[in-house]
Amino acid sequence: MNSIKNLGAKASARGMVLTVLGVITLGVAVLSVGVSYHILEPRFGAWAVPTVAALDALWVVFQATEILARNNRLRAQRVMYAGLALTLINAAIPTADLIVSEPNSFDLAMVLTPVAIIATKGAWWLTLPALGRKVSEQTSQAIAERRQEVADKLETMEADAAHRIELLEMATALEERVAKAETEYRKSVLAAQESMTRDLHQQAEATQKAVTELVLPASVAAIALPDLDTWTPTAPTLPTTRAALTPSGTDSHAGQDAAPSHRHGSRHGGRDAERDAAALADLASVTGVPTPEPGEPLTDEQLDVVLRHLRYRDDPPMSYRQAVAAFRRAEFVGSEKRVRHAWAALMTKEGTAEAEEDEPEDADA
């Protein structure tokens, strides 16, 4: 319904334009008739009436014919040329009279008439192509719908372009801010590096000067550094003189000299115990049994693992008596009968059962 109303309004607007142009054309024709008759009547007498009427009537007819040609310039080409010729003739009559007339006989109508005729003809030439042909309501509706689609598309494109321009402007502003922040950060990093380099350079110069001027004695380089595995926090022994000897003539620090040696042996013993425990844990892990723990009852598999570990811990391998003694020292729990049976099974696997079975008897003897 809205499209039909728009088409009706468009059709009425086109008719209104043509009506206005037609009324103006008739007015200009009447003005031309009056002026031309006033000019030609003294020369032609009564013949001036049909002459002027014919010129202006044909001029109006040619203008109307252009309208009926539906804006088809090829079809209305001859009519357009004829209308142009009549326009020039109608405009030339008052113009020529204005030129040859006396200066004191100036008449404003003589000036307005040719201008109005030429302007009216020019208005038709400008307006008719823009109005287009008259079409049916269905065609007009289709054209209007298509034109509306194009208008909507153009408006959408313009809105999208505006949004993209706004986005790009905002992105540009953000990029500038980010670039400025990155520049400031890099400048601060370079300034910190410059300060650090200057400080290190000054420290290096001072260190080089100290190393050159103050040479360390050889005794400083001879100080041994502690070993991570054997180090314990003990105070170093202070250097002494011969006056520090006791009245009996012996050094008062002799006991101290012996004590570190004893502690050194203890440290080695502790380290060996740790290695033995680690080896036992690895053997138990490979065998697939829980690690045997001293003071806890052992299963047959754990007992076999402990005896194998004790036998092959040293080179040459331990005998039965040595392995049992080490078993008891390590505080493993197991009866003599279980240990003997486990040892016999171990020797059977090795193929040395007979030699080892006699060993306990020899040891008893």
Side-chain angles (χ1 to χ4, degrees):
M1 292 298 293
N2 293 332
S3 300
I4 295 175
K5 291 180 180 179
N6 294 332
L7 290 174
K10 178 181 176 183
S12 61
R14 184 178 185 279
M16 184 181 297
V17 171
L18 294 176
T19 302
V20 171
L21 284 176
V23 171
I24 293 174
T25 303
L26 290 177
V28 173
V30 172
L31 176 62
S32 178
V33 168
V35 172
S36 298
Y37 177 77
H38 178 71
I39 296 172
L40 297 179
E41 192 273 335
R43 296 175 176 81
F44 295 97
W47 287 101
V49 176
T51 302
V52 172
L55 291 176
D56 288 287
L58 287 175
W59 184 65
V60 174
V61 169
F62 290 156
Q63 300 297 333
T65 305
E66 291 186 24
I67 299 173
L68 297 175
R70 300 292 188 268
N71 202 28
N72 192 332
R73 290 186 175 272
L74 182 60
R75 183 186 299 172
Q77 186 173 10
R78 290 178 294 178
V79 178
M80 293 169 61
Y81 291 153
L84 180 59
L86 288 176
T87 300
L88 296 177
I89 293 173
N90 289 333
I93 293 174
T95 302
D97 185 73
L98 182 64
I99 294 174
V100 299
S101 63
E102 296 179 359
N104 295 330
S105 61
F106 175 78
D107 190 357
L108 183 59
M110 298 296 181
V111 179
L112 293 179
T113 299
V115 175
I117 293 172
I118 296 175
T120 303
K121 183 62 177 178
W124 282 104
W125 276 52
L126 292 174
T127 305
L128 284 179
L131 288 176
R133 299 179 178 86
K134 185 178 180 181
V135 296
S136 63
E137 294 183 359
Q138 293 80 4
T139 304
S140 299
Q141 182 177 359
I143 293 174
E145 291 177 355
R146 180 60 179 169
R147 186 174 298 168
Q148 187 62 45
E149 291 178 2
V150 174
D152 294 340
K153 183 65 176 178
L154 293 177
E155 191 67 23
T156 303
M157 293 172 62
E158 186 175 357
D160 292 341
H163 296 162
R164 184 169 181 79
I165 291 173
E166 183 178 2
L167 177 62
L168 291 176
E169 290 177 352
M170 179 59 68
T172 301
L174 293 177
E175 288 292 341
E176 291 178 355
R177 291 174 57 187
V178 171
K180 184 177 180 181
E182 290 180 353
T183 302
E184 294 296 331
Y185 173 76
R186 289 188 171 92
K187 288 173 63 178
S188 65
V189 172
L190 292 177
Q193 292 179 354
E194 180 184 4
S195 177
M196 180 179 64
T197 302
R198 292 182 183 276
D199 294 341
L200 292 177
H201 183 69
Q202 294 176 359
Q203 184 64 39
E205 289 182 348
T207 303
Q208 182 65 32
K209 182 178 180 181
V211 170
T212 304
E213 296 178 355
L214 304 175
V215 180
L216 292 176
S219 60
V220 175
I223 297 175
L225 298 177
D227 186 8
L228 181 62
D229 295 332
T230 61
W231 179 82
T232 55
T234 57
T237 303
L238 296 177
T240 58
T241 61
R242 295 183 179 275
L245 296 175
T246 59
S248 60
T250 60
D251 194 346
S252 61
H253 296 281
Q256 295 180 2
D257 292 340
S261 175
H262 175 71
R263 286 195 299 268
H264 182 72
S266 299
R267 286 196 297 271
H268 279 286
R271 188 170 69 253
D272 292 341
E274 291 177 358
R275 285 200 296 266
D276 291 343
L280 179 60
D282 293 340
L283 182 59
S285 176
V286 172
T287 309
V289 298
T291 302
E293 297 292 341
E296 296 182 359
L298 304 179
T299 63
D300 294 340
E301 292 80 5
Q302 290 177 321
L303 184 60
D304 179 69
V305 168
V306 172
L307 293 178
R308 274 193 292 166
H309 166 68
L310 294 176
R311 175 170 172 79
Y312 299 108
R313 183 177 63 181
D314 297 332
D315 189 20
M318 288 186 179
S319 63
Y320 172 76
R321 293 297 181 185
Q322 293 172 341
V324 170
F327 183 86
R328 300 304 179 190
R329 285 196 304 271
E331 298 181 358
F332 288 107
V333 177
S335 63
E336 186 70 23
K337 183 178 180 180
R338 290 186 62 204
V339 172
R340 184 180 296 278
H341 282 300
W343 184 268
L346 179 62
M347 295 299 101
T348 301
K349 292 179 182 178
E350 295 180 359
T352 58
E354 295 180 357
E356 291 295 339
E357 285 178 356
D358 296 339
E359 185 178 352
E361 300 296 335
D362 299 338
D364 292 340

